[in-house]
């Protein structure tokens, strides 16, 4: 059972976390965390300003020598303790995540919270296994080996759709590798990021290793990713904002990690298990109310199955229960805000001129009218080059288009600027093998869509960014690789010196 704590009293000291304590922002501007299911204010807090970023970066910089100098075993032990503290507070995290995001309880309970806590356990182990090349005499006269060293202070900016999960994906590989971090969560959803950092402090992770600044992107986010003491900028969010982050980060030649927008194709070949594909499409399109950069958004269905697929998806969408996130039978909660709900509705309304809205396409009335709800929506007949097919809607909207041959299906799947995730549905291993090779996406699921695991990487192609979250591959982002080369001959004059002076 979820325990509903008083959010205002829990964060009475403020919604910033610097050098191991909660504190108030210095901007003089108050921001409200709003329950999107009701429109009610959950917490009013003082936003951070650029000066707060400076303090957080200084705290992270000050903590760096101790934390980077700890042994891998010491960092691992601290992270295992952190995982234990988190597990004791599962109910609080479930409640806070559903409250600030409008997520149905079962999504927070079964996906967001346990998945994030599993990430902590994974990186607690991975901290002791930073991979490198074995020592060897590659030149014949020297022994070479590779060191992995922390970069320094990491500046990360996370989105509002999965606040806890995104905090975990940003913080965990960074600190496991010996870095310190300043994270800016979305100002809409800072609660679980703050709770995550507090739990780390209680587990004995030193003050200043993890810092949270809750503020707006235009001032706080930009200050963080361009800060001269920040060695790496990591950003998850829209491709448009990602371009701005890249511009700021490259000005000071920082390491840059970007996980950006998506427009995941869902390719159904004519030998697919149709009921499985229908169920997978509805689940993949509607998870987190469609506010997922890997959500199934474009279903391409080979023509023999097209009509049955559309009919099946429409029927199944009609059974999805939209309602109060805290009601146990709710399947679909609200979108993050009324403004975002209106943005999603705008995409659908503009699509009506050239496409068919089969089901949904509106906000519900009655008791749900005060929340930021939008009904599950199915669209057909849209042109491939239309906005609804090409651009990220980020809502509970699935567009279905037919295709004929396999060549066309794969070509259509690749025909957007994005390349974060995709799925292919077929009983034929040769077809699925071709699809996983040729679809340009960082993750290709076969006969499923959405599952992620801590051990495997997440990241995109093309306009979906570069770099990986989760898995041991994420250490490529958060460590500096150093080649060390020892002379083993003991000779004062090396043969290669003759290229500078003398003869052989």
């Amino acid at each position: 059972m979820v325990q509903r704590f008083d959010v205002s009293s829990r964060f009475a000291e403020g919604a910033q976390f610097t050098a191991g304590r909660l504190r108030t922002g210095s901007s003089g501007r108050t921001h409200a965390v709003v329950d999107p299911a009701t429109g009610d204010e959950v917490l009013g807090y003082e936003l951070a300003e650029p000066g707060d970023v400076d303090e957080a970066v200084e705290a992270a910089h000050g903590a760096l020598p101790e934390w980077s100098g700890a042994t891998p075993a010491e960092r691992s032990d601290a992270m295992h303790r952190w995982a234990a503290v988190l597990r004791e507070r599962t109910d609080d995290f479930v409640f806070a995540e559903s409250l600030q995001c409008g997520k149905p309880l079962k999504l927070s309970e079964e996906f967001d919270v346990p998945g994030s806590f599993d990430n902590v356990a994974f990186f607690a182990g991975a901290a002791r296994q930073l991979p490198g090349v074995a020592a060897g005499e590659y030149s014949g006269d020297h022994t070479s080996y590779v060191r992995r060293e922390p970069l320094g202070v990491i500046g990360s900016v996370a989105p509002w759709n999965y606040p806890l999960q995104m905090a975990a994906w940003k913080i965990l590989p960074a600190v496991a590798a010996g870095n310190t971090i300043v994270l800016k969560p979305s100002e809409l959803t800072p609660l679980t990021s703050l709770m995550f950092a507090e739990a780390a402090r209680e587990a004995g992770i030193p003050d200043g290793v993890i810092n949270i600044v809750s503020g707006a992107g235009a001032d706080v986010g930009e200050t963080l990713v361009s800060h001269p003491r920040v060695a790496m900028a990591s950003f998850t969010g829209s491709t448009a904002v990602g371009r701005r982050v890249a511009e700021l980060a490259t000005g000071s030649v920082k390491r840059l990690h970007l996980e950006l927008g998506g427009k995941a194709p869902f390719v159904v070949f004519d030998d697919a298990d149709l009921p499985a594909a229908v169920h997978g499409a509805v689940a993949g399109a509607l998870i987190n109310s469609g506010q997922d950069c890997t959500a199934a958004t474009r279903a391409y269905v080979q023509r023999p199955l097209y009509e049955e697929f559309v009919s099946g998806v429409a029927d199944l969408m009609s059974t999805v229960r939209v309602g109060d996130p805290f009601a146990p039978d709710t399947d679909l909660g609200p979108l993050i805000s009324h403004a975002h709900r209106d943005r999603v509705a705008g995409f659908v309304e503009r699509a009506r001129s050239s496409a068919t809205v089969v089901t949904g396409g509106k906000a519900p009335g009655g008791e749900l009218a005060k929340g930021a709800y939008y009904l599950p929506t199915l669209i057909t007949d849209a042109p491939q080059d239309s906005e609804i097919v090409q651009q990220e809607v980020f809502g509970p909207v699935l567009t279905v288009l037919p295709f004929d041959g396999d060549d066309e299906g794969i070509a259509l799947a690749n025909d957007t600027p994005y390349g974060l995730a995709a799925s292919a549905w077929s009983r034929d291993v040769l077809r699925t093998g071709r699809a996983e090779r040729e679809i340009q996406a960082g993750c290709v699921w076969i006969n499923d869509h959405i599952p992620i695991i801590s051990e495997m990487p997440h990241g995109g192609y093309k306009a979906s960014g570069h770099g990986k979250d989760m898995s041991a591959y994420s250490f490529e982002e958060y460590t500096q690789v150093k080649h060390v080369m020892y002379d083993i001959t003991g000779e004062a004059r090396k043969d290669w010196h003759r290229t500078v002076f003398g003869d052989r």
Side-chain angles (χ1 to χ4, degrees):
M1 177 65 69
V2 173
Q3 302 299 314
R4 300 191 179 199
F5 55 82
D6 183 340
V7 173
S8 294
S9 62
R10 176 67 179 267
F11 297 104
E13 296 175 68
Q16 318 297 328
F17 187 83
T18 303
R21 68 179 182 88
L22 288 171
R23 66 178 194 80
T24 301
S26 304
S27 69
R29 293 179 287 126
T30 301
H31 184 79
V33 176
V34 174
D35 177 356
T38 63
D40 295 337
E41 181 175 319
V42 170
L43 174 71
Y45 70 93
E46 295 292 319
L47 288 166
E49 60 151 5
D52 297 312
V53 176
D54 292 337
E55 289 186 23
V57 171
E58 287 305 311
H61 182 73
L64 186 61
E66 177 186 359
W67 186 247
S68 64
T71 66
E74 289 168 337
R75 290 198 293 268
S76 176
D77 287 348
M79 294 181 74
H80 278 299
R81 294 194 302 271
W82 186 11
V85 172
L86 290 166
R87 284 192 292 271
E88 291 173 357
R89 304 202 179 145
T90 296
D91 285 355
D92 282 354
F93 277 91
V94 167
F95 167 67
E97 195 75 340
S98 286
L99 181 66
Q100 67 181 350
C101 300
K103 294 176 186 285
L105 276 182
K106 62 182 178 180
L107 181 60
S108 294
E109 286 176 331
E110 299 174 25
F111 186 79
D112 294 46
V113 173
S116 299
F117 292 0
D118 183 69
N119 276 188
V120 183
F122 171 80
F123 279 106
R128 302 182 73 160
Q129 301 182 55
L130 287 173
V133 177
E137 288 68 52
Y138 298 97
S139 77
D141 293 335
H142 307 82
T143 294
S144 288
Y145 66 89
V146 168
R147 292 176 56 89
R148 281 193 179 271
E149 298 177 349
L151 295 170
V153 178
I154 310 300
S156 291
V157 178
W160 47 256
N161 57 331
Y162 289 104
L164 176 60
Q165 209 167 66
M166 294 298 99
W169 288 12
K170 298 297 184 192
I171 293 170
L172 295 172
V175 301
N179 301 281
T180 58
I181 189 167
V182 179
L183 171 73
K184 191 201 89 66
S186 168
E187 63 272 28
L188 301 176
T189 55
L191 304 183
T192 47
S193 299
L194 294 164
M195 293 162 62
F196 198 60
E198 286 184 294
R201 177 197 60 201
E202 292 176 36
I205 291 178
D207 293 350
V209 171
I210 299 168
N211 306 273
I212 310 293
V213 287
S214 303
D219 54 359
V220 169
E222 292 202 0
T223 299
L224 178 59
V225 299
S226 60
H227 198 285
R229 276 201 157 159
V230 166
M232 170 183 164
S234 176
F235 171 78
T236 296
S238 72
T239 298
V241 177
R243 292 190 185 99
R244 174 62 177 161
V245 170
E247 184 181 292
L248 292 167
T250 53
S252 53
V253 200
K254 296 184 192 317
R255 180 78 64 85
L256 182 62
H257 170 243
L258 298 171
E259 199 264 88
L260 306 177
K263 192 69 180 173
F266 186 102
V267 183
V268 183
F269 295 101
D270 59 10
D271 66 337
D273 180 331
L274 183 60
V278 166
H279 283 81
V282 173
L286 300 185
I287 187 169
N288 201 32
S289 298
Q291 299 167 127
D292 187 310
C293 49
T294 63
T297 60
R298 300 177 289 140
Y300 296 103
V301 184
Q302 203 153 16
R303 208 169 291 276
L305 296 184
Y306 178 77
E307 295 296 338
E308 286 184 85
F309 181 88
V310 169
S311 176
V313 167
D315 289 346
L316 190 56
M317 277 188 172
S318 70
T319 70
V320 172
R321 297 164 297 187
V322 180
D324 177 5
F326 290 98
D329 61 348
T330 291
D331 297 321
L332 194 76
L335 298 173
I336 188 63
S337 68
H338 288 81
H340 185 62
R341 190 270 314 276
D342 293 346
R343 177 184 177 276
V344 170
F347 273 96
V348 175
E349 291 310 306
R350 290 189 295 275
R352 290 183 191 274
S353 63
S354 59
T356 302
V357 178
V358 177
T359 189
K362 62 181 180 180
E367 284 296 311
L368 300 183
K370 62 184 178 181
Y373 292 91
Y374 199 75
L375 293 176
T377 299
L378 175 62
I379 294 176
T380 60
D381 306 320
Q384 174 65 19
D385 62 357
S386 62
E387 178 191 57
I388 199 73
V389 174
Q390 291 291 322
Q391 299 302 317
E392 188 171 35
V393 178
F394 226 56
V397 179
L398 175 65
T399 303
V400 184
L401 297 88
F403 71 92
D404 291 305
D406 291 15
D407 290 351
E408 182 188 12
I410 291 173
L412 289 169
N414 288 330
D415 185 31
T416 72
Y418 302 103
L420 187 59
S423 64
W425 298 72
S426 171
R427 292 183 173 97
D428 185 334
V429 68
L430 297 178
R431 267 180 156 173
T432 58
R434 180 188 177 190
E436 58 92 359
R437 290 192 304 274
E438 296 187 14
I439 292 176
Q440 299 162 358
C443 175
V444 179
W445 292 284
I446 303 299
N447 295 324
D448 206 346
H449 195 109
I450 284 296
I452 54 174
I453 50 175
S454 298
E455 292 84 357
M456 288 291 113
H458 175 86
Y461 285 28
K462 304 190 295 187
S464 291
H466 51 78
K468 300 300 180 185
D469 290 309
M470 298 197 298
S471 81
Y473 290 97
S474 64
F475 288 129
E476 301 293 335
E477 316 303 320
Y478 293 98
T479 56
Q480 180 69 55
V481 173
K482 177 185 288 184
H483 170 214
V484 179
M485 197 172 195
Y486 276 93
D487 170 66
I488 59 173
T489 67
E491 297 178 2
R493 182 167 178 173
K494 309 294 193 292
D495 186 55
W496 70 267
H497 291 179
R498 69 185 179 83
T499 63
V500 179
F501 57 85
D503 299 320
R504 186 181 292 275

